[in-house]
Amino acid sequence: MPDREERFRVMLDMVGALVGPEPRVLDLACGTGSITDRLLTRFPKATSTGVDLDPALLTIAEGYFDGDRRVTFVTADLKDPEWVRKLPYEQYDAVLTATALHWLHSEPLATLYGQLAGVVREGGVFMNADHMIDGATPRINAAERAQRHAQMDGAKAAGALDWADWWALAAKDPVLAGPTAKRYEIYGEHADGDMPSPQWHAETLRTAGFAEARAVWASPSDTLLLALK
């Protein structure tokens, strides 16, 4: 994902612009803590709650941030209606997520957006950087996908690990082998969620209770959607 750092930069720019330099952040579907890592580098007085269900990725995150009192991790299934009860705070200045919620189908994602409207404080923000596909532009979509996969094939030929290779290494690691086996019991190879358009995300977030919502960054394949409470 060659534009990964650019989306994080814009995400944190908007955090600073809308909620200030000392935010309480919920890192949603946090994985290894990529957002939290960049958040604390940019805003050293921020605090972060990372929530995820993947035991392997949480093992990496907890090891990386071990001893950092600014960071807390919670194991929770975002499809569980009671997941918000596990959070250490009732409300957050910002909820941030990237390349994760496409694992959910549209109906549970809309439900999640409704829950997040209660988690984000008034004046706070939610940002989702993810694959968002406009079904009204099939030829553009096909060309973008072909070009992106050609780039990925070139990167792999040059030695980059793909998804399957990365997890194969994790399964052999003495620390990650057990958690990796558990994550395959939970998820299988990959989820088959939806990738609705940016317009769908914005409309669904407004319906859920956010006052404003629109894209603040986009690549040919992905969009950073910002919703303001």
Side-chain angles (χ1 to χ4, degrees):
M1 300 177 65
D3 54 29
R4 190 164 183 256
E5 293 305 322
E6 179 68 6
R7 75 187 66 193
F8 287 147
R9 182 192 66 77
V10 175
M11 178 181 283
L12 296 179
D13 281 351
M14 298 311 296
V15 168
L18 288 164
V19 299
E22 300 181 22
R24 176 189 293 167
V25 171
L26 177 60
D27 186 350
L28 192 70
C30 65
T32 60
S34 298
I35 290 176
T36 293
D37 187 33
R38 289 154 179 81
L39 170 76
L40 298 179
T41 298
R42 177 80 172 267
F43 304 117
K45 293 185 179 181
T47 57
S48 177
T49 302
V51 59
D52 209 303
L53 184 62
D54 190 314
L57 299 184
L58 282 173
T59 296
I60 294 172
E62 289 166 350
Y64 184 79
F65 292 99
D66 185 35
D68 193 330
R69 296 184 178 181
R70 298 170 296 177
V71 184
T72 304
F73 291 102
V74 174
T75 300
D77 185 349
L78 297 181
K79 292 184 285 187
D80 179 353
E82 302 298 318
W83 75 270
V84 295
R85 295 181 180 272
K86 296 184 177 183
L87 300 177
Y89 304 103
E90 291 186 1
Q91 291 198 312
Y92 288 82
D93 301 309
V95 177
L96 309 177
T97 188
T99 327
L101 298 188
H102 65 274
W103 281 58
L104 298 177
H105 287 286
S106 298
E107 185 174 343
L109 182 55
T111 299
L112 177 64
Y113 281 173
Q115 293 171 316
L116 294 179
V119 171
V120 175
R121 68 162 172 83
E122 290 297 321
V125 298
F126 165 67
M127 280 182 271
N128 178 16
D130 208 347
H131 313 311
M132 300 182 189
I133 298 175
D134 188 341
T137 59
R139 290 185 295 168
I140 295 173
N141 299 347
E144 180 281 320
R145 186 178 188 280
Q147 191 266 351
R148 174 164 43 91
H149 278 264
Q151 284 186 323
M152 292 165 62
D153 290 343
K156 185 176 179 180
L161 294 176
D162 67 8
W163 173 269
D165 290 339
W166 192 93
W167 281 110
L169 286 178
K172 297 176 183 177
D173 184 90
V175 175
L176 296 176
T180 298
K182 291 179 181 178
R183 69 93 56 194
Y184 275 104
E185 293 176 7
I186 296 170
Y187 295 114
E189 290 294 329
H190 201 288
D192 58 348
D194 298 335
M195 290 179 275
S197 69
Q199 293 79 9
W200 180 93
H201 286 272
E203 291 169 4
T204 303
L205 285 161
R206 286 192 289 265
T207 299
F210 288 87
E212 301 176 15
R214 71 167 177 86
V216 292
W217 172 91
S219 72
S221 61
D222 293 1
T223 297
L224 172 58
L225 205 297
L226 184 153
L228 178 67
K229 186 73 182 295

